[in-house]
Amino acid sequence: MNPSSNAQPKIAEMYPGIYQPTSLAEGEGGPDLPMQPLNTLLGFDLETYQVPLDHLLPSKKIMDGTMSTRKYKQVVSSIHEIGLIEPLSVIQPDPKKSEFLLLDGHLRVLALKELGMETAPCLMAKDDETFSYNHRINRLSTVQEHYMLRRAIDRGVSRERLARAFNVNLSSINRRINLLEGICPEAIDLLQDKQFTPDVTRILRNMKAARQVEAVELMVASNTITVAHAEALLKATPPEQRADLKPAERDKTSPIEQIVKLEKEMSQVQTQYKDAEQNYGSDLLNLVVAKGYAWD
């Protein structure tokens, strides 16, 4: 099945000619695409097509209230700010018709329609799979998201634009950018592939390095990397292992006063020692007599 071979004037390849085995064989250069038969079955055509949104048929029902959710608003903001990154997944059930079944990307279709778009880039699936391909993808972890934001800023993207793309306020972006400040490398390694809110590391900063590692190990072992768990561990942290508590201030007395106090204590100890030495003989005799009397 090749949509480009059908009589569909409205369906156009986004990058026509990008897959040209003939030109590659002649040594004209181009993308590094396989020339021999593949050992694995491709799930999609190698070309990407622009398909009118009116020709897309949903494969599942959109729940009421979806357009008011935070996730949907983030999708709209992201497409409006930087465009559609991931093409839709579609299949053409009947080559004789111009309709395409939407396998994945229902929220993106709603967002594109809201933004006034008429077409969308689509990947043509070879099989009508019953699952969404996105469900087989590992989601971006919180630490990886932090690295992604840092890299975007290093490349000149402003924090304000990132906030608009994610549909969050600027303070939320700043928390994600400064996610790992004050966190020891060992704790970061434990959190590499985990999902958690930035407030978790904010609490971990109040602990010293060794306690941070211990706290993260406990949260990972129980699979509850949450703010409530982190706060409970912080409260159970001894004062000497906390970084947010100042050490107790020492008694700011002068050296002369300390010497006088020490002399008084030594004098009292010496007096008690002499009393014990004088009474040692009589006390021992009394104990011996009392012991003999007790045994009789």
Side-chain angles (χ1 to χ4, degrees), residues 51-94:
V51 178
L53 297 178
D54 295 338
H55 291 191
L56 298 178
L57 301 177
S59 59
K60 66 178 182 180
K61 182 180 179 181
I62 302 298
M63 302 298 294
D64 295 337
T66 298
M67 299 182 69
S68 61
T69 61
R70 179 182 178 185
K71 180 179 180 181
Y72 174 77
K73 293 179 180 179
Q74 287 181 334
V75 172
V76 175
S77 299
S78 176
I79 295 176
H80 179 266
E81 189 65 28
I82 59 179
L84 184 64
I85 298 175
E86 182 181 0
L88 310 176
S89 300
V90 300
I91 191 171
Q92 191 174 22
D94 188 354

Coordinates of all heavy atoms in Angstrom, one line a residue, residues 51-94:
V51 N -1.6 15.1 5.3 CA -2.9 14.6 5.2 C -3.9 15.6 5.7 O -3.7 16.2 6.8 CB -3.1 13.3 5.9 CG1 -4.6 12.8 5.8 CG2 -2.2 12.2 5.4
P52 N -5.0 16.0 5.0 CA -6.0 16.9 5.5 C -6.6 16.4 6.8 O -6.9 15.2 6.9 CB -7.0 17.0 4.3 CG -6.2 16.6 3.1 CD -5.2 15.6 3.6
L53 N -6.8 17.2 7.7 CA -7.4 16.8 9.0 C -8.8 16.3 8.8 O -9.3 15.5 9.6 CB -7.4 18.0 10.0 CG -6.0 18.5 10.4 CD1 -6.1 19.7 11.3 CD2 -5.2 17.4 11.0
D54 N -9.5 16.8 7.8 CA -10.9 16.4 7.6 C -11.0 15.0 7.1 O -12.1 14.3 7.1 CB -11.6 17.3 6.5 CG -11.7 18.7 7.0 OD1 -11.7 18.9 8.3 OD2 -11.9 19.7 6.2
H55 N -9.9 14.4 6.6 CA -9.9 13.0 6.1 C -9.5 12.0 7.2 O -9.4 10.8 6.9 CB -8.9 12.9 5.0 CG -9.3 13.6 3.7 ND1 -8.8 13.5 2.5 CD2 -10.4 14.5 3.5 CE1 -9.4 14.2 1.6 NE2 -10.3 14.9 2.2
L56 N -9.3 12.5 8.4 CA -8.8 11.6 9.5 C -10.0 11.1 10.3 O -10.9 12.0 10.7 CB -7.8 12.3 10.4 CG -6.5 12.8 9.8 CD1 -5.7 13.5 10.8 CD2 -5.8 11.6 9.2
L57 N -10.1 9.8 10.5 CA -11.2 9.3 11.3 C -10.6 8.8 12.7 O -9.6 8.1 12.7 CB -11.8 8.1 10.6 CG -12.5 8.4 9.2 CD1 -13.0 7.1 8.6 CD2 -13.6 9.4 9.3
P58 N -11.2 9.2 13.8 CA -10.7 8.8 15.1 C -10.9 7.3 15.3 O -11.9 6.7 14.9 CB -11.5 9.6 16.1 CG -12.7 9.9 15.4 CD -12.4 10.1 13.9
S59 N -10.0 6.7 16.0 CA -10.1 5.2 16.4 C -10.6 5.0 17.8 O -10.8 3.9 18.2 CB -8.7 4.5 16.2 OG -7.7 5.1 17.0
K60 N -10.7 6.1 18.5 CA -11.3 6.0 19.9 C -12.0 7.3 20.2 O -11.8 8.3 19.6 CB -10.1 5.8 20.9 CG -9.2 6.9 21.0 CD -8.1 6.6 22.1 CE -7.2 7.8 22.3 NZ -6.1 7.6 23.3
K61 N -12.9 7.2 21.2 CA -13.7 8.4 21.6 C -12.9 9.3 22.6 O -12.2 8.8 23.5 CB -15.0 7.9 22.3 CG -15.9 9.0 22.7 CD -17.2 8.4 23.4 CE -18.1 9.6 23.8 NZ -19.3 9.1 24.5
I62 N -13.0 10.5 22.3 CA -12.4 11.5 23.2 C -13.3 11.8 24.3 O -14.5 12.1 24.2 CB -12.1 12.8 22.4 CG1 -11.2 12.5 21.2 CG2 -11.4 13.8 23.3 CD1 -9.8 12.0 21.6
M63 N -12.8 11.7 25.5 CA -13.6 11.9 26.7 C -14.0 13.3 26.9 O -13.3 14.3 26.5 CB -12.8 11.4 28.0 CG -12.4 10.0 27.9 SD -13.7 8.8 27.9 CE -14.5 9.1 29.5
D64 N -15.2 13.5 27.5 CA -15.7 14.9 27.7 C -14.7 15.6 28.7 O -14.3 15.0 29.7 CB -17.1 14.8 28.3 CG -18.1 14.3 27.3 OD1 -17.8 14.3 26.1 OD2 -19.1 13.8 27.7
G65 N -14.5 16.8 28.4 CA -13.6 17.6 29.3 C -12.1 17.5 29.0 O -11.3 18.1 29.7
T66 N -11.8 16.8 27.9 CA -10.4 16.6 27.5 C -9.7 17.9 27.2 O -8.6 18.2 27.5 CB -10.3 15.6 26.4 OG1 -10.8 14.3 26.7 CG2 -8.8 15.5 25.9
M67 N -10.5 18.8 26.5 CA -9.9 20.0 26.0 C -9.7 21.0 27.2 O -9.0 22.1 27.0 CB -10.8 20.6 25.0 CG -11.0 19.8 23.8 SD -12.0 20.5 22.5 CE -11.0 21.8 21.9
S68 N -10.1 20.7 28.4 CA -9.9 21.6 29.5 C -8.8 21.0 30.4 O -8.5 21.7 31.4 CB -11.1 21.8 30.3 OG -11.6 20.5 30.8
T69 N -8.2 19.9 30.1 CA -7.1 19.3 30.9 C -5.8 20.0 30.7 O -5.6 20.7 29.6 CB -7.0 17.8 30.6 OG1 -6.6 17.7 29.2 CG2 -8.3 17.1 30.8
R70 N -4.9 19.9 31.6 CA -3.6 20.5 31.6 C -2.8 19.9 30.4 O -2.1 20.6 29.7 CB -2.9 20.3 32.9 CG -1.5 20.9 32.9 CD -0.8 20.7 34.2 NE 0.6 21.2 34.2 CZ 1.5 21.0 35.2 NH1 1.1 20.4 36.3 NH2 2.7 21.5 35.1
K71 N -2.9 18.6 30.2 CA -2.1 17.9 29.2 C -2.5 18.5 27.8 O -1.6 18.7 27.0 CB -2.4 16.4 29.2 CG -1.6 15.6 28.2 CD -1.9 14.1 28.3 CE -1.1 13.4 27.2 NZ -1.4 11.9 27.3
Y72 N -3.8 18.6 27.6 CA -4.2 19.1 26.3 C -3.7 20.6 26.1 O -3.3 20.9 25.0 CB -5.7 19.1 26.2 CG -6.3 19.7 24.9 CD1 -6.2 19.1 23.7 CD2 -6.8 21.0 24.9 CE1 -6.7 19.7 22.5 CE2 -7.3 21.6 23.8 CZ -7.2 20.9 22.6 OH -7.7 21.5 21.4
K73 N -3.8 21.4 27.1 CA -3.4 22.8 27.0 C -1.9 22.8 26.7 O -1.4 23.7 26.0 CB -3.7 23.5 28.2 CG -5.2 23.7 28.4 CD -5.5 24.5 29.7 CE -7.0 24.7 29.9 NZ -7.3 25.4 31.2
Q74 N -1.1 21.9 27.3 CA 0.3 21.9 27.0 C 0.6 21.5 25.6 O 1.5 22.0 24.9 CB 1.0 20.9 28.0 CG 1.1 21.4 29.4 CD 1.8 20.4 30.3 OE1 1.8 19.2 30.0 NE2 2.5 20.9 31.3
V75 N -0.2 20.5 25.0 CA 0.0 20.2 23.6 C -0.3 21.4 22.7 O 0.4 21.6 21.7 CB -1.0 19.0 23.3 CG1 -1.0 18.7 21.8 CG2 -0.6 17.7 24.0
V76 N -1.4 22.1 23.0 CA -1.7 23.3 22.2 C -0.6 24.3 22.2 O -0.1 24.9 21.2 CB -3.0 23.9 22.6 CG1 -3.3 25.2 21.9 CG2 -4.2 22.9 22.4
S77 N -0.1 24.6 23.5 CA 1.0 25.6 23.6 C 2.3 25.1 22.9 O 3.0 26.0 22.3 CB 1.3 25.8 25.1 OG 0.1 26.3 25.8
S78 N 2.6 23.9 23.0 CA 3.8 23.4 22.4 C 3.7 23.5 20.8 O 4.7 23.9 20.2 CB 4.0 21.9 22.8 OG 5.2 21.4 22.1
I79 N 2.6 23.1 20.2 CA 2.4 23.2 18.8 C 2.4 24.6 18.3 O 3.0 25.0 17.3 CB 1.1 22.5 18.3 CG1 1.2 21.0 18.7 CG2 0.9 22.7 16.9 CD1 0.0 20.2 18.3
H80 N 1.8 25.5 19.1 CA 1.7 26.9 18.7 C 3.1 27.6 18.8 O 3.5 28.4 18.0 CB 0.8 27.6 19.7 CG 0.7 29.1 19.4 ND1 1.5 30.1 20.0 CD2 -0.1 29.8 18.5 CE1 1.2 31.3 19.6 NE2 0.2 31.1 18.7
E81 N 3.9 27.1 19.8 CA 5.2 27.8 20.0 C 6.3 27.2 19.1 O 7.1 28.0 18.5 CB 5.7 27.6 21.4 CG 6.9 28.4 21.8 CD 6.6 29.9 21.7 OE1 5.5 30.4 21.9 OE2 7.6 30.7 21.5
I82 N 6.4 25.9 18.9 CA 7.5 25.3 18.2 C 7.0 24.4 17.0 O 7.9 23.8 16.3 CB 8.4 24.5 19.1 CG1 7.7 23.4 19.8 CG2 9.1 25.4 20.1 CD1 8.5 22.6 20.7
G83 N 5.7 24.2 16.9 CA 5.2 23.3 15.8 C 5.1 21.9 16.3 O 5.4 21.5 17.4
L84 N 4.5 21.1 15.4 CA 4.3 19.7 15.7 C 5.6 18.9 15.5 O 6.2 18.9 14.4 CB 3.2 19.1 14.7 CG 2.8 17.7 15.0 CD1 2.1 17.6 16.3 CD2 1.8 17.2 13.9
I85 N 6.0 18.2 16.6 CA 7.3 17.5 16.5 C 7.1 16.1 16.1 O 7.8 15.6 15.2 CB 7.9 17.5 17.9 CG1 8.2 19.0 18.3 CG2 9.2 16.7 18.0 CD1 8.8 19.1 19.7
E86 N 6.1 15.4 16.6 CA 5.9 14.0 16.3 C 4.7 13.8 15.4 O 3.6 14.3 15.7 CB 5.6 13.2 17.6 CG 5.4 11.7 17.4 CD 5.0 11.0 18.7 OE1 4.9 11.7 19.8 OE2 4.8 9.8 18.7
P87 N 4.9 13.3 14.2 CA 3.8 13.1 13.2 C 2.7 12.2 13.8 O 3.0 11.4 14.7 CB 4.5 12.5 12.0 CG 6.0 12.7 12.2 CD 6.2 12.8 13.6
L88 N 1.6 12.3 13.2 CA 0.5 11.4 13.5 C 0.7 10.0 12.9 O 1.4 9.9 11.9 CB -0.9 12.0 13.0 CG -1.2 13.4 13.4 CD1 -2.5 13.9 12.7 CD2 -1.2 13.7 14.9
S89 N 0.1 9.0 13.6 CA 0.1 7.6 13.0 C -1.2 7.3 12.5 O -2.2 7.3 13.2 CB 0.5 6.6 14.2 OG 1.7 7.0 14.7
V90 N -1.3 7.0 11.1 CA -2.5 6.7 10.5 C -2.4 5.5 9.6 O -1.3 5.0 9.3 CB -3.0 7.9 9.6 CG1 -3.1 9.2 10.4 CG2 -2.0 8.2 8.5
I91 N -3.5 5.0 9.1 CA -3.6 3.9 8.2 C -4.7 4.1 7.3 O -5.7 4.7 7.7 CB -3.7 2.5 8.9 CG1 -3.4 1.4 7.9 CG2 -5.0 2.4 9.6 CD1 -3.3 0.0 8.6
Q92 N -4.6 3.6 6.0 CA -5.6 3.8 5.0 C -6.4 2.4 4.9 O -5.9 1.5 4.2 CB -5.1 4.3 3.7 CG -6.1 4.7 2.7 CD -5.5 5.3 1.4 OE1 -4.3 5.0 1.1 NE2 -6.3 6.1 0.7
P93 N -7.5 2.3 5.5 CA -8.2 1.0 5.5 C -8.6 0.6 4.1 O -8.4 -0.6 3.7 CB -9.4 1.2 6.4 CG -9.1 2.4 7.2 CD -8.2 3.2 6.4
D94 N -9.1 1.5 3.3 CA -9.5 1.2 1.9 C -8.8 2.2 0.9 O -9.0 3.4 1.0 CB -11.0 1.4 1.8 CG -11.6 1.0 0.5 OD1 -10.8 0.6 -0.4 OD2 -12.8 1.0 0.3

